[in-house]
Amino acid sequence: MSDPTLSRTAKSEAVYRTTFATIAAILGEETSVRELDRDKCRDLMAVLQRLPPNAKKRFPALSPREAADYATAQAVAPMSSANVNEYMNKLSTLFNWALREEWISRNPANGLRIAKATGKPEQRKPFSTEQLNYIFNAPLYRVCRDDGNGYAIEGRARPRRARFWIPLIGLFSGARLNEICQLHTADVRQIDGVWCFDVRADPANGKNLKTAGSQRLVPIHPMLKEIGILTYLKDREEAEDQRLFPEIAMDAFGLHSGQVHARSAGLSALLSQPAACLRRFQAVCRSRKLS
């Protein structure tokens, strides 16, 4: 089910494989591509509309169709319409490739998607002032036991490592999580007298950007300098660390943010905002003109 003319990241490959494994399980793994018609594609979309997110992990003993039936009976929330459309778009892309290869005569999934609701589109909500105060008043930002499992427990330590700095840099720069996690000490530098984060790709050293246009210089906010980011930089340079946050390892997908995502998994539930993420600090920066 792969298009040899395209190049994808390891993470994208994993997403595609998971997506098509779910689609194949619903349509029937032994079903020939030539047997798939409009009705079968509509049936697929109907099942996806009832299927919960992460169904394979949540219901490992059930097939996707069985998981959808169970979720419907138990009133378990299904995946979002956007995710359903992603499944259908990937299937349609596969059919388009098969069409070009003359395996099929038409694309039976063409145009099949859930229509967007009218009105203002749903947008990601930034953290509220109350939530930000809650986050940055945690023991980690005052005194805690340590910045491992004890970062949320009162103590006497004042650790200044990745767990401390990454949310602050996100707040005062609006940079993507992986952009922050993969920074090198050499990426924090003065340009014409202004201290900046030099956000750039360097695949040979494990640094990648989401798009080519993501390469940029981000001036370091005065508050970060006041808190001590330049002192932290000096410590890393004296320790001869190449990376600004050397304790963060690269994951199986070649990203440095995966480990941080895992460590922050409880944050959304804690704030009662399931969709919250560090990236949304950017909205706060824009609204308060902090950038």
Side-chain angles (χ1 to χ4, degrees), residues 13-53:
E13 286 285 352
V15 171
Y16 269 82
R17 290 184 182 279
T18 300
T19 298
F20 285 123
T22 300
I23 290 173
I26 295 172
L27 293 175
E29 295 182 1
E30 301 302 321
T31 303
S32 167
V33 67
R34 293 183 178 87
E35 297 176 45
L36 298 176
D37 56 19
R38 195 74 168 174
D39 287 340
K40 287 185 173 63
C41 290
R42 285 197 181 97
D43 175 64
L44 167 67
M45 190 167 71
V47 174
L48 291 173
Q49 286 180 270
R50 298 185 294 113
L51 189 67

Side-chain angles (χ1 to χ4, degrees), residues 7-160:
S7 175
R8 299 189 180 97
T9 64
K11 187 171 184 179
S12 293
E13 286 285 352
V15 171
Y16 269 82
R17 290 184 182 279
T18 300
T19 298
F20 285 123
T22 300
I23 290 173
I26 295 172
L27 293 175
E29 295 182 1
E30 301 302 321
T31 303
S32 167
V33 67
R34 293 183 178 87
E35 297 176 45
L36 298 176
D37 56 19
R38 195 74 168 174
D39 287 340
K40 287 185 173 63
C41 290
R42 285 197 181 97
D43 175 64
L44 167 67
M45 190 167 71
V47 174
L48 291 173
Q49 286 180 270
R50 298 185 294 113
L51 189 67
N54 301 313
K56 184 66 175 177
K57 292 181 180 179
R58 296 168 69 179
F59 311 110
L62 302 180
S63 69
R65 195 177 290 273
E66 290 170 340
D69 291 341
Y70 177 83
T72 300
Q74 300 296 319
V76 178
M79 70 173 76
S80 69
S81 296
N83 281 345
V84 173
N85 286 338
E86 278 297 310
Y87 274 83
M88 299 307 297
N89 287 341
K90 286 181 171 61
L91 178 61
S92 185
T93 299
L94 177 65
F95 280 136
N96 283 336
W97 176 75
L99 189 61
R100 292 195 301 272
E101 295 296 313
E102 299 182 353
W103 289 9
I104 57 177
S105 59
R106 66 187 184 88
N107 178 352
N110 185 42
L112 278 182
R113 57 186 290 113
I114 302 172
K116 292 183 179 180
T118 57
K120 186 177 181 180
E122 182 181 353
Q123 296 180 341
R124 292 180 174 183
K125 296 179 180 179
F127 287 118
S128 67
T129 300
E130 181 182 5
Q131 289 171 329
L132 288 173
N133 286 335
Y134 188 88
I135 293 170
F136 292 107
N137 195 42
L140 174 64
Y141 291 99
R142 293 181 285 111
V143 285
C144 63
R145 192 174 68 186
D146 56 57
D147 65 349
N149 293 331
Y151 75 96
I153 302 172
E154 296 283 352
R156 297 182 179 181
R158 295 178 181 272
R160 296 292 185 269

Side-chain angles (χ1 to χ4, degrees), residues 169-184:
I169 295 173
L171 174 62
F172 289 108
S173 74
R176 295 182 176 93
L177 182 57
N178 194 61
E179 292 173 346
I180 300 170
C181 293
Q182 68 184 9
L183 285 171
H184 286 189

